[in-house]
Amino acid sequence: MFGVFSNAWKIKDIRNKLLYILMVLLIFRIGSVIPVPGIDMGIMRGDFGGGGGMLAMLVGGEWGTIFTMGIGPYITASIIMQLLTVAVPKLEQLKKDGAEGRKKINQITRILAVAMAALQAFGMTFAWRDAFSHWNIYIHFVAALTMIAGTMFIMWLSELLTEKGLGNGASFIIFANILSALPGGVLMLYDASIGTIWNAVAVIVILVLFVVIVGFTALIGEGQRKLPVQYSKKMVGRQMYGGQSSFIPIKVNLAGVLPIIFAMSILGFPEMLGNFFPNVDWLARASEILAVSSPIGAPIYIILIFAFTFFYASFSINPVEMAENLKKNGGFIPGIRPGKPTSEFIQRTVSRMSWVGATAYAMVAIAPIVMEWIFRIPIGFGGTTIIIVVGVALEIVKKLESQLLMRNYKGFLSQ
């Protein structure tokens, strides 16, 4: 991996792209520490904790800043649009219309993201009214408008990264959020190692397990089942066409990290409501019970990961459509008859891969929580953060390799 980065840095075009990504991420991190107009960050950090939970760390910034909501509303809007394209025939047709249809869907997604950001911003600033030096309707409106503008600015930055960078811009934003919290996690482990020999040994074991989890996550992220496809030969005029062999790649986890984010959103919903209504006792109790680190919340967390994995896989791949396309193009899976038997075989394969992927990602997501239970030491990272960091890192390496390959760069694979 380091060899790929080293060779990519030597090429001016790629080096400019890397510098562009770093510049945009630097702008994002600067905005993440600028407070909302009128707010007292001392009161915010003291009375409200200045956090927002694991989900806020992934998609948002520190509470009370102009980038508090981060890329969260846009991600939520994107997920909703993915679901609606399956349920609403008109949106499904737009998705099939190619580049023009995707452009319209993206525009609807942006509008939905702004609406969700407005709803969230006005609610959050109202909940934080005690943290403002002076509170009135005008300050409420200005603070909420500032947070909405911050989210829109981040959406624009993510689209710039997608357009001119080396991958998905929203992933880079989340990646930067996670890396910004890494020093705090390292310091937390260092503080935990001071004291007894047991604490030092426990931290060493945790670091070893962390390396194993990272390697396992990379293996699962790259894993796929290749379904062989054979195309029959046919005579066109005096020429014989077809007869090639190919394959259909089925990833181990088609849904990626989305099921984990869905599960965290549902379990964190009582906590989010509790932040808006801090004096409601049953919301505080529900947030404690449903916390992913609690004995009740952890099993529910795993069940939700499995449920959302199969839910996402059910509409991300259409076995019937794939079987029909193979049949139209003269293709078939060796040993499987065309038509319905092919679609049933693809469906069985997707289901098996979903079981494997959901099990693997659930293990990674719950592993840091189990380590906290066993060693009684707070761990400054979660399974979701590992999956996202490893996934984005692998995506960057793949993009760099493809860029180098397009430029006929010699020798980079052997270094």
Side-chain angles (χ1 to χ4, degrees):
M1 183 177 74
F2 294 106
V4 173
F5 276 100
S6 175
N7 291 323
W9 189 259
K10 297 174 184 177
I11 300 177
K12 184 178 179 181
D13 292 346
I14 303 179
R15 183 171 65 249
N16 289 339
K17 287 187 177 182
L18 292 173
L19 291 174
Y20 185 85
I21 292 172
L22 292 175
M23 181 190 69
V24 172
L25 294 182
L26 177 62
I27 294 172
F28 167 69
R29 289 311 307 164
I30 291 174
S32 298
V33 297
I34 299 176
V36 171
I39 204 165
D40 188 327
M41 291 301 293
I43 299 176
M44 174 62 67
R45 294 190 180 101
D47 295 348
F48 295 91
M54 179 63 73
L55 188 63
M57 188 200 76
L58 293 178
V59 298
E62 183 183 1
W63 280 16
T65 65
I66 61 174
F67 287 171
T68 293
M69 297 182 294
I71 198 71
Y74 181 72
I75 291 178
T76 305
S78 299
I79 293 171
I80 292 174
M81 286 302 298
Q82 286 185 25
L83 299 176
L84 289 179
T85 51
V86 180
V88 180
K90 189 171 183 179
L91 291 176
E92 186 178 5
Q93 185 59 43
L94 278 177
K95 186 178 179 181
K96 295 179 180 179
D97 285 345
E100 192 62 30
R102 288 193 298 271
K103 185 178 179 181
K104 292 180 180 178
I105 290 178
N106 289 338
Q107 189 63 27
I108 298 172
T109 304
R110 294 188 194 101
I111 296 172
L112 181 60
V114 172
M116 298 188 68
L119 180 64
Q120 189 175 347
F122 278 100
M124 294 178 83
T125 50
F126 181 77
W128 297 339
R129 59 190 180 277
D130 293 335
F132 285 84
S133 302
H134 302 283
W135 174 257
N136 54 46
I137 296 299
Y138 172 73
I139 290 178
H140 183 197
F141 181 80
V142 171
L145 193 64
T146 302
M147 291 174 60
I148 296 170
T151 294
M152 294 175 65
F153 182 69
I154 293 176
M155 288 167 51
W156 178 65
L157 289 181
S158 68
E159 290 182 357
L160 286 181
L161 287 175
T162 302
E163 181 182 348
K164 299 182 179 180
L166 293 169
N168 184 276
S171 299
F172 278 114
I173 297 294
I174 299 174
F175 185 72
N177 259 345
I178 295 173
L179 291 185
S180 68
L182 184 61
V186 173
L187 184 62
M188 188 183 298
L189 281 177
Y190 175 76
D191 292 339
S193 67
I194 300 174
T196 64
I197 297 178
W198 163 250
N199 288 346
V201 172
V203 169
I204 292 174
V205 173
I206 288 172
L207 292 175
V208 172
L209 291 175
F210 172 75
V211 174
V212 173
I213 292 172
V214 170
F216 178 72
T217 305
L219 182 66
I220 294 298
E222 291 293 284
Q224 61 181 7
R225 169 77 186 279
K226 295 181 179 180
L227 300 182
V229 176
Q230 183 70 39
Y231 290 93
S232 57
K233 296 181 179 180
K234 56 183 178 180
M235 182 72 72
V236 179
R238 296 185 177 182
Q239 297 291 330
M240 183 73 72
Y241 293 94
Q244 302 96 342
S245 297
S246 183
F247 63 87
I248 302 173
I250 306 292
K251 294 189 67 175
V252 172
N253 193 350
L254 293 167
V257 77
L258 285 180
I260 297 177
I261 294 179
F262 282 167
M264 291 175 63
S265 301
I266 291 178
L267 292 179
F269 189 68
E271 181 182 0
M272 184 184 71
L273 288 180
N275 294 322
F276 293 114
F277 307 101
N279 297 323
V280 181
D281 293 335
W282 69 268
L283 279 176
R285 181 60 180 162
S287 63
E288 291 178 5
I289 293 174
L290 294 178
V292 294
S293 57
S294 72
I296 297 177
I300 297 176
Y301 184 40
I302 294 175
I303 293 171
L304 288 175
I305 290 174
F306 275 87
F308 283 122
T309 297
F310 282 94
F311 175 73
Y312 189 88
S314 66
F315 67 81
S316 61
I317 285 186
N318 189 337
V320 176
E321 185 178 344
M322 291 176 66
E324 287 298 323
N325 289 335
L326 283 176
K327 189 175 181 180
K328 289 177 182 178
N329 295 308
F332 62 93
I333 298 175
I336 307 296
R337 287 181 298 174
K340 187 177 180 181
T342 298
S343 65
E344 291 176 348
F345 177 76
I346 294 174
Q347 182 62 57
R348 286 197 304 270
T349 303
V350 170
S351 298
R352 290 170 182 170
M353 291 295 98
S354 297
W355 274 109
V356 175
T359 302
Y361 274 20
M363 289 171 58
V364 173
I366 208 70
I369 299 172
V370 174
M371 284 191 281
E372 285 188 354
W373 291 346
I374 295 173
F375 298 108
R376 305 290 182 181
I377 291 177
I379 299 175
F381 61 89
T384 311
T385 60
I386 296 174
I387 294 172
I388 292 175
V389 168
V390 172
V392 174
L394 290 175
E395 181 184 5
I396 293 173
V397 171
K398 285 181 180 178
K399 292 288 185 180
L400 289 176
E401 287 183 346
S402 64
Q403 293 278 337
L404 291 170
L405 193 61
M406 281 195 308
R407 290 164 174 77
N408 295 319
Y409 190 89
K410 305 298 182 181
F412 75 96
L413 290 174
S414 61
Q415 295 184 6

